[in-house]
Amino acid sequence: MTSGAGCNFPNLLAPGRIGTLQVKNRVLMAPVSTNFATAEGEVTPELVSFYERRARGGAGLLILECVNVDFPRGKTGHTQMRIDSDRFVPKLHELAEILHEAGASAALQLNHSGGLYGDRSREALKPVAPSPFLYGKLMIEAEEASREEIHRIRNNFIDAAERAALAGFDAIEIHGAHGYLLAEFLSPWTNQRKDEYGGSVENRTRLALEIVQGIRKKLPCFPIIFRISGDEFVSPERGLPEDFAVLKAERPEERNLPGRGLAETVEVVNLLKSAGVDGFHVTAGTHRLPHTFARRAQVEGMGMEQGWKSYLAGEIRRACNVKTVAVGVIRDHAVAEEILSRGDADFVALGRGLIADPDWVSKARTGKPVRKCIGCNSCVQYRSGYGWKLRCAVNAMAGREYRLGEPETAGKTLSPRKVLVVGGGPAGMEAARVAALRGHRVTLAEKKPVLGGSLVAAGILEEKSKIRWLNEWLQGELAALNVELRPGFEVTEEALSGEEFDALVIATGGLPESKRLPAIHNPEEKNFFAQATELLEGTAAVPKGAEKVLVVGGGLIGCETACYIARKGFRTTVMTRRGKDSLGADMDPINRYETLSTLFKLGIEIRDGATLVEISPEAVRYENGNGETLEEPFDFILFAQGMEPDRKISQKAEDRFPEVYRIGDCVMPRNILYAVYEGFSVGNKI
Ligand SMILES: Cc1cc2nc3c(=O)[nH]c(=O)nc-3n(C[C@H](O)[C@H](O)[C@H](O)COP(=O)(O)O)c2cc1C
């Protein structure tokens, strides 16, 4: 079926229009910065292949990641595309041409980072912003932009739009959201100016208006989309508790300044509409407060509901009679269809959804199961946190399209082999999937009665339930590929007798750290302690009558276990050797904020700087940060002190195989990103 008519998602697959641009369906790719350009801002083959793959998957319009209009001070990250000079036009033109050939329309998002420009190097310039606040992760004080600087930046945006049109792009998106320069001007919170660019809504919108008017003068019919946060969600109550150190870096007086809410956004949109904007891409939040809801509203953690902020697009669409694009945690076709059919938006945009599954749109036609983004935010953490290239925990191909062929086509094997994968966690399942896609005959053995491995415990909290999507999808693919599944099967020499395999993949995962247990008084009375993972997997339980539970360990597993237990009504305490500020430090910042918010809301007590000495059924003895030894009664103790590799596969069994590979947590316990990548790599190699 090629048109929307008669299919399950008639709105989603119907053509749409933004200004003069006809888009073949209602699905846009939301801008996602990739770090795939060069340090000089040039387009690379890897950037082209990444977007080309998404274009082939059927998205109507790709809004490419934010491109810098003013180097260096306008940059976000060190390997961002640039459009501040004509010399970038040839490669941008080639990129647009390839995306058109692949069947999609393409737009560039134009941006100036404003106060969020951050460069650790000594010779770095100060960021420029409407007012001199502290900005970004580095909390650098920005310079107040002079009028001349504002005019120069305005002209840069206009020139950049001209270049985008010249390079053959079909539209531009002006980035007026997420706390970058234009958003800083629009916000009463970060714009404290007293001149014609500050104060009233009209004054704060002036820079954006001048940019739109300038572009309209030069390009009367060129489609302009404006990205705006419908609500900045900046309010003092929406941060973590005050004693949480990450907030200490911010100035307390700023926390009491309100941001821009929906009512004011409606005024801004009306002004921009009359200047000639064709559509509004309605997002929310701001980068500027990394540990608050404002950050989470922009790129959500796992706990946010699908399409939760589309109401903002709906309010704006109805109040201003403009075309809107809804974005944010849209993962199911049905959710997207519902947003369109209830009139919240003319288009939906997917960022992470298309990183995880570039074929999302074509799957709306074929009905094939979608590999849904689970919201782990590895894409954000490693890209913006560490400065790496964009990577996806569920789709190892993302960003590697330029050097890896699709397993089922380019990777097809000419000599099918018999492969045994041991371990049914994410690494093992991905290895089995990819090997089977390539044409090998694959058997997957798992000691436990169910598949999923670490995904089972990781997805136990309701807020983390999106992790279950990956487990379900992998299992569905294995079944469709006729991988022979052997749950409840322990691999031993005897168990394998009479069977021949060409290759063995060991993906046996991790086990709770055993060396760090304290002295246990009466260890034979096992009913007063367990490993947190045993509890989460359902092989251990808090005994009847217990009230006070201690969780030892303040990392991801400890914090999540504490939330799980506290929700069940137990009085819960977390004990950590480190400071309170290090709670959940092994999580990505957005999911960490979500989990810690829950932890604090549930009233979970924290014993920080504490070293456990001894436990008994009666009491726990520990040293506090001052070297004092204290005793406290707990009814049950759960250990969450890290994981170690599970290497327990018999050497004799292993010796039977001519080729042996080890992947995932059984090499070194890490997260889903590494498990899936290593599974993919081995599956692709055998
Ligand atoms: C890795 C990554 C990079 C992003 N880069 C940009 C960007 O360059 N410009 C922008 O406006 N939003 C950016 N965003 C936000 C997305 O466009 C989108 O609004 C957000 O991820 C929520 O939508 P999703 O749930 O479909 O991913 C980025 C998000 C991610 C995950």
Side-chain angles (χ1 to χ4, degrees):
M1 206 174 304
T2 50
S3 87
C7 77
N8 289 336
F9 308 109
N11 289 300
L12 195 64
L13 299 176
R17 224 179 161 72
I18 305 176
T20 54
L21 177 66
Q22 174 83 6
V23 184
K24 70 178 178 184
N25 56 47
R26 303 303 181 100
V27 185
L28 314 187
M29 178 163 186
V32 287
S33 295
T34 57
N35 281 2
F36 294 158
T38 65
E40 288 71 43
E42 288 278 11
V43 172
T44 58
E46 107 196 70
L47 188 140
V48 173
S49 310
F50 173 78
Y51 285 112
E52 185 185 4
R53 181 68 188 82
R54 270 87 206 146
R56 289 203 191 286
L61 169 66
L62 307 185
I63 304 175
L64 269 50
E65 61 198 82
C66 65
V67 184
N68 184 9
V69 301
D70 184 23
F71 189 82
R73 271 222 278 202
K75 72 177 182 177
T76 60
H78 303 294
T79 48
Q80 181 195 14
M81 275 195 285
R82 283 169 61 183
I83 192 164
D84 56 309
S85 152
D86 291 349
R87 74 185 162 96
F88 297 106
V89 171
K91 283 224 168 140
L92 287 170
H93 173 252
E94 188 187 24
L95 170 61
E97 194 177 70
I98 290 170
L99 299 181
H100 288 152
E101 273 170 28
S105 303
L108 283 180
Q109 187 188 52
L110 308 182
N111 191 32
H112 188 297
S113 58
L116 291 170
Y117 160 78
D119 194 322
R120 270 181 242 257
S121 59
R122 279 178 205 191
E123 63 278 11
L125 298 160
K126 272 184 122 189
V128 65
S131 304
F133 282 129
L134 300 174
Y135 285 91
K137 274 190 305 231
L138 305 178
M139 282 290 155
I140 301 170
E141 179 157 22
E143 225 168 71
E144 181 171 307
S146 66
R147 272 210 190 85
E148 294 68 43
E149 182 69 352
I150 293 174
H151 294 162
R152 198 185 61 74
I153 292 171
R154 173 194 65 201
N155 296 342
N156 274 17
F157 268 99
I158 299 167
D159 293 348
E162 271 200 293
R163 285 187 195 107
L166 189 65
F169 282 88
D170 305 289
I172 48 147
E173 177 170 281
I174 300 173
H175 199 349
H178 300 165
Y180 294 107
L181 186 82
L182 296 184
E184 286 158 7
F185 270 91
L186 290 175
S187 174
W189 175 50
T190 42
N191 185 344
Q192 302 285 311
R193 296 177 76 91
K194 303 281 176 264
D195 62 6
E196 72 274 25
Y197 289 100
S200 66
V201 176
E202 193 163 357
N203 280 358
R204 281 185 269 124
T205 315
R206 191 174 305 281
L207 173 57
L209 279 171
E210 288 180 358
I211 290 170
V212 174
Q213 286 156 351
I215 297 171
R216 269 287 159 260
K217 241 190 223 159
K218 300 209 167 175
L219 303 164
C221 304
F222 195 57
I224 304 176
I225 304 166
F226 194 92
R227 198 166 213 216
I228 191 158
S229 291
D231 193 325
E232 288 192 301
F233 291 115
V234 171
S235 67
E237 315 83 65
R238 285 184 177 268
L240 291 174
E242 286 200 16
D243 60 351
F244 203 72
V246 285
L247 284 184
K248 287 189 192 143
E250 286 150 21
R251 290 177 176 166
E253 68 273 15
E254 281 180 41
R255 279 206 243 139
N256 298 321
L257 296 172
R260 197 190 64 250
L262 182 58
E264 252 196 20
T265 303
V266 165
E267 291 182 52
V268 173
V269 166
N270 275 327
L271 289 167
L272 289 167
K273 173 189 167 190
S274 33
V277 170
D278 297 299
F280 291 85
H281 189 169
V282 184
T283 166
T286 167
H287 258 312
R288 218 198 125 222
L289 290 177
H291 297 274
T292 64
F293 184 80
R295 175 71 177 98
R296 176 187 176 205
Q298 179 203 330
V299 180
E300 300 82 351
M302 289 187 197
M304 299 295 276
E305 236 178 84
Q306 287 201 56
W308 72 277
K309 63 190 175 204
S310 63
Y311 75 95
L312 293 167
E315 296 284 342
I316 291 170
R317 187 169 186 260
R318 287 180 281 273
C320 309
N321 192 21
V322 289
K323 295 225 164 161
T324 60
V325 181
V327 69
V329 205
I330 298 171
R331 305 285 186 261
D332 286 316
H333 299 121
V335 170
E337 180 68 18
E338 167 63 21
I339 290 170
L340 296 171
S341 64
R342 70 169 176 253
D344 274 356
D346 302 274
F347 294 88
V348 292
L350 279 77
R352 289 166 295 175
L354 289 186
I355 301 174
D357 195 336
D359 292 322
W360 193 87
V361 179
S362 52
K363 286 179 175 177
R365 293 201 172 86
T366 61
K368 282 192 180 165
V370 169
R371 175 171 43 199
K372 292 190 257 185
C373 160
I374 57 173
C376 69
N377 283 335
S378 300
C379 52
V380 182
Q381 184 181 7
Y382 295 108
R383 192 200 64 79
S384 80
Y386 299 8
W388 294 358
K389 292 180 177 185
L390 178 126
R391 295 290 179 251
C392 174
V394 301
N395 178 10
M397 278 290 283
R400 299 188 176 101
E401 295 86 353
Y402 75 110
R403 64 180 177 86
L404 300 176
E406 299 283 346
E408 62 270 47
T409 49
K412 206 81 187 171
T413 180
L414 296 174
S415 47
R417 303 164 76 193
K418 264 192 93 182
V419 179
L420 176 66
V421 178
V422 186
M429 286 199 283
E430 177 71 355
R433 182 186 78 86
V434 176
L437 271 176
R438 293 182 50 231
H440 293 303
R441 278 163 46 218
V442 185
T443 302
L444 176 72
E446 164 58 53
K447 195 163 58 177
K448 293 186 182 148
V450 290
L451 295 187
S454 60
L455 298 176
V456 175
I460 203 94
L461 272 189
E462 217 27 60
E463 295 93 323
K464 295 286 174 99
S465 61
K466 293 190 177 81
I467 289 180
R468 298 175 211 161
W469 287 344
L470 177 60
N471 194 4
E472 284 159 19
W473 183 81
L474 282 166
Q475 291 196 37
E477 294 298 295
L478 296 183
L481 288 162
N482 292 322
V483 169
E484 188 198 332
L485 301 176
R486 293 188 193 171
F489 184 93
E490 181 147 16
V491 172
T492 59
E493 203 196 2
E494 301 74 52
L496 292 179
S497 92
E499 292 197 85
E500 289 298 328
F501 291 93
D502 302 308
L504 170 69
V505 179
I506 304 177
T508 40
L511 285 171
E513 177 81 70
S514 57
K515 293 180 218 93
R516 291 172 57 191
L517 289 181
I520 299 175
H521 210 253
N522 278 351
E524 53 289 347
E525 262 187 65
K526 280 229 158 86
N527 63 348
F528 68 100
F529 67 94
Q531 289 290 347
T533 48
E534 293 173 324
L535 179 100
L536 298 174
E537 283 169 2
T539 53
V542 182
K544 272 212 177 102
E547 284 176 14
K548 263 189 92 181
V549 177
L550 175 70
V551 178
V552 184
L556 177 151
I557 298 178
C559 291
E560 288 185 5
T561 306
C563 293
Y564 179 71
I565 281 292
R567 283 235 177 89
K568 295 205 175 290
F570 296 104
R571 278 171 55 209
T572 309
T573 303
V574 170
M575 182 175 284
T576 169
R577 280 169 190 259
R578 304 168 73 187
K580 219 182 220 180
D581 309 343
S582 301
L583 280 175
D586 50 344
M587 298 183 197
D588 83 277
I590 300 170
N591 282 302
R592 181 182 184 212
Y593 164 76
E594 278 191 4
T595 304
L596 294 188
S597 303
T598 309
L599 193 109
F600 291 126
K601 251 186 246 149
L602 288 168
I604 291 168
E605 287 185 38
I606 315 292
R607 303 275 177 276
D608 55 332
T611 309
L612 194 54
V613 178
E614 188 185 34
I615 63 166
S616 73
E618 288 75 41
V620 159
R621 208 143 60 82
Y622 65 97
E623 272 177 20
N624 69 9
N626 306 326
E628 296 160 329
T629 304
L630 305 174
E631 265 196 16
E632 208 177 326
F634 285 99
D635 302 318
F636 199 67
I637 300 141
L638 286 160
F639 293 106
Q641 295 176 292
M643 304 292 282
E644 61 189 22
D646 179 359
R647 299 209 172 96
K648 280 189 236 105
I649 177 164
S650 94
Q651 193 59 49
K652 278 193 178 161
E654 205 178 309
D655 289 345
R656 297 167 48 104
F657 296 84
E659 250 177 63
V660 178
Y661 302 92
R662 279 196 170 71
I663 54 170
D665 285 2
C666 77
V667 178
M668 184 167 76
R670 285 150 301 160
N671 58 22
I672 300 173
L673 177 95
Y674 289 93
V676 169
Y677 172 55
E678 288 171 8
F680 183 94
S681 300
V682 157
N684 222 7
K685 189 155 45 181
I686 292 171

